[in-house]
Each structure stands twice: as structure tokens, then as C-alpha cells.
Amino acid sequence: MAKYLLLKHYRGAPAPVNDVPMDQWTPEEISAHFQFMEDFAARLQDTGEFVDGQALSPEGSWVRYDGEGRPPVTDGPFAETKDLIAGWMVIDVDSHDRAVELAGELSAAPGAGGKPIHEWLEVRPFLAAPPTVTE
């Protein structure tokens, strides 16, 4: 089994077919979308393929180490980041093909008008081991 990250983007990927921003959806459309996501995760829990998933809040900031005895440096929020990543799901599947298959299904979550979004999802494998350095 291999773990994959299914990454949902607000921005930065090609436009989905149903390209109406969520802030323009009705409360019922938002509820239907989140119910789809919950049902999808529950189905993967039943097959043992679900690891975790979360929607992300629009708030956020960058943080970095600033030296011994000094407080971390923060900057932000950065709209280009918070608007980019909407949420994620981690799956544990037998193959890359299965990860792609599941991402395709997840892409059909309903959006405005109850129609599938057909959004682009980024599929990224977890690094199984540190990269090797060749000299």
C-alpha cells in the first residue's frame, strides 16, 4: 500500500467545468458538497483506503525559525496561499492507478446547481524514503 495526497485547490489548477466559486453557492449546494465529501470518505473508510482529510480555513500565515532564543517570524496572511489550497485527503491504496481513479471520483463532487464540479485534483505520493544523494 502507498499513501497519496489528494489536494484540492481554490486556484492554481486549470478551471473546473462547473467554475462557480463556493462563496456564490446556496447553503443547500454547500451542504450537498460537504455531504458528498463525507460520504466519499466513509466509503474509503469501509475499504481501508481512507487515512485523513480536512477542509482548510481561509486564515493562515507563514512561520519560520529566526535563530536561537528568538521568537518565530510570522508573515501573512498571504492571499495567494490561502486561496490556493482548499483542502486535502490522504488515501492509502495499492497503486497510483487506484489513487487516480479515486481522485477522478472525488472530482465529481457537486457544486453550483448541484452539478458536478469536475475540478482538477493534485495527486501526490508520499515520499517513502529520503532521497538518495549521488555524487
Side-chain angles (χ1 to χ4, degrees), residues 27-68:
E28 294 80 16
E29 291 166 343
I30 292 171
S31 293
H33 180 81
F34 277 88
Q35 188 62 55
F36 179 96
M37 302 297 288
E38 290 172 15
D39 292 346
F40 185 84
R43 186 168 56 91
L44 295 186
Q45 283 177 323
D46 290 345
T47 64
E49 296 173 307
F50 181 79
V51 176
D52 196 9
Q54 299 293 323
L56 298 176
S57 166
E59 295 84 29
S61 57
W62 287 92
V63 178
R64 73 170 172 84
Y65 176 74
D66 198 37
E68 189 65 38

Side-chain angles (χ1 to χ4, degrees), residues 2 17 41 54-55 59 66 77 97 105 112 123 128:
V17 173
Q54 299 293 323
E59 295 84 29
D66 198 37
D97 288 344
E105 291 178 31
V123 178

Side-chain angles (χ1 to χ4, degrees), residues 10 55-61 77-79 81-86:
Y10 285 124
L56 298 176
S57 166
E59 295 84 29
S61 57
F78 291 101
T81 300
K82 73 180 183 185
D83 289 343
L84 178 66
I85 301 171

Side-chain angles (χ1 to χ4, degrees), residues 2-5 124-132:
K3 289 188 174 95
Y4 288 85
L5 175 68
R124 306 247 339 239
F126 277 39
L127 190 60
T132 56

